[in-house]
Amino acid sequence: MIRRLLPVVLLSAAALLARAAPEHRILYHDPEVYSAWPAIARAANGDLVLSFIRTEQHMSPNGAVTLMRSSDHGRSWSESTDAVDTVIDDREGGLTMAPEGELLLHVRSVFWKAETYDALGPEAYPRNWLEKWMAEVEEPDYLAAEELNGSHVYSSTDHGKSWEHIGWGPDSIHGGITLQDGSLMVTAYREEGDSIRIYHAADSRSEWKHLRTVDSPSAPNLRFGEPHIAQMPGGRIVIMMRATARPYDDRKKNLFMWQLYSDDNGATWSDPIPTPMMGFPPHLLVLSDGRLLCSYGRRAAPFGQRAMISEDGITWNHAAEITLRDDAPNHDLGYPVSIETSPGEILTFYYQKPAWNPDNKHDHTSAIYQTRWSLSDFE
């Protein structure tokens, strides 16, 4: 396949200095909480609805899906409120904007077992933390909630202010999309080992039908996961996927994302192909000018948040990679999601540590950030 590269324009030092710097701010930080994995949607009333996970530690058994909202394009935000907080561990919280103003929330609820924590060594967490969690998951209320284990879909018809459980459904780290024909499409990744699955539904109350399984590449040291999906104005559906190292090492410098696409509304798909974007996981946003923006985190030094733009959803120019920031203190970061507030004006949300204590390797607290930036400052 011949890839058409976009022209590269070399800027003078004066022009580079004239660029407006992205504006970073912390939206949520509790020093006792691990907060991560945001998703973003614009509700039918114009509000921005931001979801993320609030938990004790990355692998603790007590997470909740938390929401914040903004009615002024991200200038100010409400206090955080929990949308889903069951007895077991609720995490992910992808958002899908469905027809007629309905907002869907995809939640993966995890039933942890004591033997899982018992098998973790001191390099993961201090033993007293593990013993605390082992006791929590042996509590009668927790044991009685095992049937909640799995992926759920919740619905809101009041712009994300209240939520109703409407059934089981595909997991989705960032959420799915409404296709141009009004139906829904979501990509999931936890159901068949190292593969991702594509699901379609006529509406939010219809059965989620499995369209295709996308197997991981033949390379034995990579596996697919955490996909996201978008449909461009011409109808092309693009799926971008994280490639994770096997055995797990998120700081390797060969972890380029992969993609596939469909030009017939999901009836047939291209083979997966690698992209020049090193990082993960992806979030896709169709811009008002019809181009496709992919946001992703970089966990190899220099650590930070990146983005790249494609005109056709297939070809990506690495020379035009956008660095939103490269000052994160370590590799525990990412999952950026972006939304356009006006033509060319972008808000990107992600998590990373506000500081790093090198003397405490078990410092797992993190914050939810917002970066406001303009496409014109990078083009």
Side-chain angles (χ1 to χ4, degrees):
M1 176 184 296
I2 299 176
R3 299 190 178 186
R4 178 173 60 86
L5 295 181
L6 301 178
V8 177
V9 179
L10 298 178
L11 300 179
S12 67
L16 289 170
L17 291 173
R19 286 177 169 176
E23 173 193 313
H24 310 304
R25 61 183 288 206
I26 293 177
L27 296 186
Y28 179 90
H29 180 228
D30 181 336
E32 301 299 321
V33 165
Y34 185 87
S35 49
W37 316 316
I40 188 69
R42 185 179 293 280
N45 68 345
D47 285 358
L48 299 182
V49 178
L50 175 71
S51 74
F52 58 93
I53 307 311
R54 176 186 57 78
T55 187
E56 183 180 354
Q57 301 292 336
H58 187 188
M59 293 182 65
S60 61
N62 46 26
V65 180
T66 301
L67 296 184
M68 296 173 66
R69 72 174 51 245
S70 173
S71 299
D72 56 6
H73 308 295
R75 297 294 178 186
S76 63
W77 290 87
S78 70
E79 293 295 320
S80 61
T81 59
D82 290 342
V84 178
D85 186 10
T86 68
V87 174
I88 64 174
D89 180 29
D90 304 304
R91 52 180 56 214
E92 295 187 354
L95 292 166
T96 300
M97 193 65 216
E100 300 182 0
E102 183 183 22
L103 195 57
L104 303 180
L105 181 64
H106 305 262
V107 176
R108 176 174 171 258
S109 296
V110 180
F111 179 80
W112 292 90
K113 295 184 178 181
E115 52 263 35
T116 302
Y117 291 126
D118 195 33
L120 295 177
E123 69 282 355
Y125 296 102
R127 185 63 192 180
N128 62 315
W129 293 8
L130 297 174
E131 290 176 352
K132 172 179 175 290
W133 298 339
M134 290 164 63
E136 286 183 23
V137 302
E138 291 293 331
E139 289 288 335
D141 287 350
Y142 197 97
L143 293 173
E146 184 175 5
E147 63 181 12
L148 297 178
N149 185 64
S151 299
H152 303 259
V153 180
Y154 295 79
S155 168
S156 174
T157 55
D158 58 4
H159 317 301
K161 296 175 183 176
S162 62
W163 296 89
E164 172 195 5
H165 183 264
I166 60 172
W168 302 87
D171 74 89
S172 180
I173 191 73
H174 289 320
I177 57 170
T178 295
L179 297 172
Q180 292 169 359
D181 65 4
S183 61
L184 303 172
M185 191 169 285
V186 171
T187 50
Y189 76 103
R190 297 187 183 277
E191 300 169 3
E192 286 193 16
D194 295 342
S195 302
I196 72 162
R197 287 165 66 95
I198 305 170
Y199 286 92
H200 178 265
D203 55 60
S204 63
R205 266 62 174 184
S206 298
E207 177 188 358
W208 290 96
K209 297 183 178 179
H210 172 228
L211 292 184
R212 177 177 172 177
T213 295
V214 182
D215 292 326
S216 293
S218 57
N221 59 343
L222 291 176
R223 58 184 175 87
F224 287 155
E226 295 179 327
H228 194 230
I229 185 170
Q231 185 172 34
M232 301 183 72
R236 173 168 291 162
I237 303 171
V238 180
I239 295 174
M240 192 72 67
M241 301 169 289
R242 168 182 178 173
T244 301
R246 189 192 343 232
Y248 186 82
D249 181 353
D250 58 4
R251 282 169 281 187
K252 283 182 174 290
K253 293 193 174 183
N254 66 339
L255 302 180
F256 296 92
M257 291 185 291
W258 290 56
Q259 69 178 58
L260 69 157
Y261 62 92
S262 171
D263 287 328
D264 54 13
N265 217 45
T268 61
W269 294 86
S270 71
D271 291 331
I273 56 174
T275 76
M277 290 177 280
M278 187 185 79
F280 52 80
H283 177 266
L284 298 173
L285 170 68
V286 179
L287 298 168
S288 57
D289 62 13
R291 296 182 297 169
L292 191 62
L293 173 73
C294 183
S295 308
Y296 50 99
R298 177 185 168 102
R299 292 193 175 186
F303 308 115
Q305 320 301 329
R306 304 288 195 273
M308 205 175 289
I309 296 173
S310 173
E311 299 213 8
D312 60 7
I314 301 174
T315 54
W316 304 83
N317 181 12
H318 183 265
E321 184 179 45
I322 296 167
T323 298
L324 297 178
R325 63 189 307 172
D326 59 3
D327 59 348
N330 75 341
H331 68 286
D332 191 3
L333 59 78
Y335 292 73
V337 294
S338 297
I339 197 163
E340 193 172 20
T341 57
S342 62
E345 300 301 309
I346 311 295
L347 293 180
T348 298
F349 307 87
Y350 49 94
Y351 88 93
Q352 65 183 47
K353 291 181 179 297
W356 173 244
N357 179 2
D359 297 324
N360 182 6
K361 67 178 180 179
H362 296 297
D363 178 7
H364 294 290
T365 60
S366 56
I368 301 296
Y369 281 81
Q370 171 188 288
T371 291
R372 184 182 298 273
W373 57 286
S374 298
L375 292 173
S376 60
D377 291 327
F378 293 93
E379 296 182 319

